Amino acid sequence: MNKKNRAPAKIRQIDWSLCFIADSQASGGRDVLWLIEEAVAGGATIVQLRGKTWTVRNFLRLAVQAVELVRPKGIPLIINDRADIALACRADGVHLGQDDLPVSEARKILGQDRLIGISINTPEEARRAEEASADYAGAGPVFATLSKPDLQPLLGLEGLRRIRTETRLPILAIGGITLANVGEVMAAGADGVAVISAIASAASPRQASTKFIETIGKVRKNPAPQIA
Amino acid sequence: MNKKNRAPAKIRQIDWSLCFIADSQASGGRDVLWLIEEAVAGGATIVQLRGKTWTVRNFLRLAVQAVELVRPKGIPLIINDRADIALACRADGVHLGQDDLPVSEARKILGQDRLIGISINTPEEARRAEEASADYAGAGPVFATLSKPDLQPLLGLEGLRRIRTETRLPILAIGGITLANVGEVMAAGADGVAVISAIASAASPRQASTKFIETIGKVRKNPAPQIA
């Protein structure tokens, strides 16, 4: 499939390379805003804020600060799950799980100009995400991860390739992505990767982000021959 | 204070007498929609749906069904915490805690025609709720309760009376309200009571609601002399 026709007009300009997910449960005691600042300084192109353990009030307070931090740099800020918080902090979009609001309902609330992403684990979920006019799919878990242990089957590179053939949506691969495997993940057809601990737990989150961006850039320049 | 000028125009027609809170954690294994149906059949005048332990998808599904159930009877359905779910299910409003979205943000999301209630524990919180243009205040906990154990000081009847003198907002008293104390709670200045387990755990939720309504009606007809 031609990469050029993957994304609808409104999001053609978004750089999907590297999404840093700033998670209330996986910041390792580090300041979340500092982590976001470092990740973006290092090259992260999207930030998602996930706050299952924060009160709504604290989540909103952090979200407002995060938007102030990344907006001047042209980096989209995505809120996990809560469309109401996304509206209140004027985020660029929302990321939904399969058990969250349906994409269609989130779209009514957020309108056409905000991004709506959805987590998918199967080609069927990828097809439904596209039918529901999601803006991107978070495909995973590709590999095992401790950041968000769940019972879903691991996709592996093979599963990722299968999902790639099923959807024209931009794909952010997620789950156990590291500097050691990001190359093959991109080669399997991802448009970018979403990373939690590989940045949040790195000695230098900034350097980790830079290395991800460099590796992703290299794969894009010299794509390995793909096995269909 | 004259009761007639308590409520703003848009909510003057709401009967605040008895709010049944259908809670995911306090339905005692009973079907939540059945509980709502019984409570309303017995006379509950408002229903709030609280779903901290449901997935968002399930919360929304139940909320849509609850709205279908109560709207034909003219009973408002209020969603706890989540303004996005309230929008998606076309609820009549949202109920916020002090750690949830600020009233002002919820108002931007929900507009002027939906109800916004807020939990308050002090006269100061009552004043701020009124300044923020909340539509009603849930004042509590009046008495000790197992439905929502928390660390806030109990208001008692004295605390409730003090809050009554501080705000013109309709007051729903909450926390440990039973048939045995609802009379004195109303006499202390509440416009109505919010009840979880006294209805959800009753042998007959319908009869329990009817008895609440009868007792509240009697107090309104023959108000006891108030001690200032």
Side-chain angles (χ1 to χ4, degrees):
Chain A
M1 181 181 304
N2 189 335
K3 274 203 174 187
K4 276 177 203 148
N5 16 346
R6 264 187 209 157
K10 77 167 167 182
I11 50 169
R12 211 170 275 158
Q13 77 272 25
I14 289 184
D15 181 349
W16 299 101
S17 303
L18 180 61
C19 173
F20 171 54
I21 302 180
D23 189 310
S24 62
Q25 287 160 286
S27 56
R30 286 164 151 180
D31 181 76
V32 168
L33 290 172
W34 177 80
L35 282 172
I36 291 173
E37 202 164 14
E38 289 296 294
V40 168
T45 58
I46 304 172
V47 173
Q48 184 193 134
L49 199 57
R50 190 155 82 183
K52 297 288 182 201
T53 60
W54 293 322
T55 67
V56 175
R57 195 65 66 94
N58 286 339
F59 193 168
L60 176 59
R61 202 173 289 140
L62 274 168
V64 166
Q65 293 175 293
V67 166
E68 279 172 14
L69 204 62
V70 304
R71 180 145 302 156
K73 303 179 205 299
I75 305 292
L77 193 284
I78 309 285
I79 297 294
N80 186 274
D81 173 14
R82 296 205 48 148
D84 48 2
I85 295 180
L87 282 178
C89 75
R90 298 169 195 230
D92 300 282
V94 75
H95 184 89
L96 304 169
Q98 292 286 329
D99 285 333
D100 292 337
L101 287 178
V103 171
S104 56
E105 295 298 334
R107 182 66 73 200
K108 283 185 216 158
I109 294 170
L110 295 172
Q112 292 300 324
D113 291 340
R114 284 197 171 85
L115 298 169
I116 299 178
I118 179 158
S119 300
I120 60 155
N121 180 246
T122 65
E124 173 57 25
E125 286 175 353
R127 274 192 299 273
R128 273 190 274 129
E130 192 168 338
E131 277 167 24
S133 301
D135 295 306
Y136 73 90
V142 182
F143 306 115
T145 170
L146 289 174
S147 296
K148 203 187 176 185
D150 58 33
L151 299 169
Q152 289 189 306
L154 299 182
L155 290 178
L157 296 171
E158 192 48 43
L160 189 57
R161 272 191 285 268
R162 207 153 42 227
I163 284 172
R164 172 73 292 163
T165 64
E166 289 295 335
T167 182
R168 301 168 66 241
L169 288 178
I171 291 178
L172 280 181
I174 184 166
I177 314 280
T178 65
L179 283 165
N181 62 31
V182 63
E184 48 190 9
V185 165
M186 293 299 293
D191 296 276
V193 296
V195 161
I196 305 177
S197 53
I199 289 179
S201 306
S204 165
R206 185 191 296 227
Q207 276 178 30
S209 300
T210 302
K211 282 180 193 163
F212 269 107
I213 289 293
E214 283 171 2
T215 311
I216 290 166
K218 273 181 207 157
V219 180
R220 287 223 177 100
K221 248 177 142 178
N222 305 299
Q226 278 220 212
I227 302 144
Chain B
M1 180 182 302
N2 189 335
K3 274 202 178 190
K4 277 177 203 149
N5 17 344
R6 264 187 209 157
K10 79 166 165 182
I11 50 168
R12 211 170 273 158
Q13 76 274 24
I14 288 184
D15 180 350
W16 299 101
S17 302
L18 179 61
C19 174
F20 171 54
I21 302 181
D23 188 308
S24 62
Q25 288 160 286
S27 55
R30 286 164 151 181
D31 181 77
V32 168
L33 291 172
W34 177 79
L35 282 173
I36 291 172
E37 202 164 13
E38 289 295 294
V40 169
T45 58
I46 304 171
V47 172
Q48 184 192 135
L49 199 56
R50 190 154 85 184
K52 297 289 182 202
T53 61
W54 293 321
T55 66
V56 175
R57 193 68 65 97
N58 285 339
F59 193 168
L60 176 58
R61 202 172 289 141
L62 273 169
V64 167
Q65 293 175 292
V67 167
E68 279 171 13
L69 204 63
V70 305
R71 182 145 301 157
K73 303 179 204 301
I75 305 292
L77 192 284
I78 309 286
I79 297 293
N80 187 274
D81 174 13
R82 296 204 49 147
D84 48 3
I85 295 180
L87 282 178
C89 75
R90 299 168 194 230
D92 300 281
V94 76
H95 184 89
L96 304 168
Q98 293 286 329
D99 285 334
D100 293 336
L101 287 178
V103 171
S104 56
E105 295 299 334
R107 181 66 72 200
K108 284 184 215 158
I109 293 170
L110 295 173
Q112 293 300 324
D113 290 340
R114 283 194 172 86
L115 297 169
I116 299 178
I118 180 161
S119 300
I120 60 156
N121 181 248
T122 66
E124 174 56 26
E125 286 175 353
R127 274 192 299 273
R128 274 189 276 128
E130 191 166 340
E131 277 166 25
S133 300
D135 295 306
Y136 72 90
V142 182
F143 306 114
T145 169
L146 289 174
S147 298
K148 202 186 175 186
D150 58 32
L151 299 169
Q152 290 189 306
L154 299 182
L155 290 178
L157 295 172
E158 192 48 44
L160 189 57
R161 272 190 284 267
R162 208 154 42 229
I163 284 172
R164 172 73 292 164
T165 64
E166 288 296 333
T167 182
R168 300 169 66 241
L169 287 179
I171 291 177
L172 279 180
I174 185 168
I177 314 281
T178 63
L179 283 165
N181 61 33
V182 62
E184 48 190 8
V185 166
M186 293 300 291
D191 296 277
V193 296
V195 161
I196 305 179
S197 52
I199 289 178
S201 304
S204 165
R206 183 191 297 228
Q207 275 179 30
S209 300
T210 302
K211 282 180 193 162
F212 269 107
I213 289 293
E214 282 172 1
T215 310
I216 291 166
K218 273 181 206 158
V219 179
R220 287 221 178 101
K221 245 176 141 178
N222 305 299
Q226 280 219 211
I227 302 141

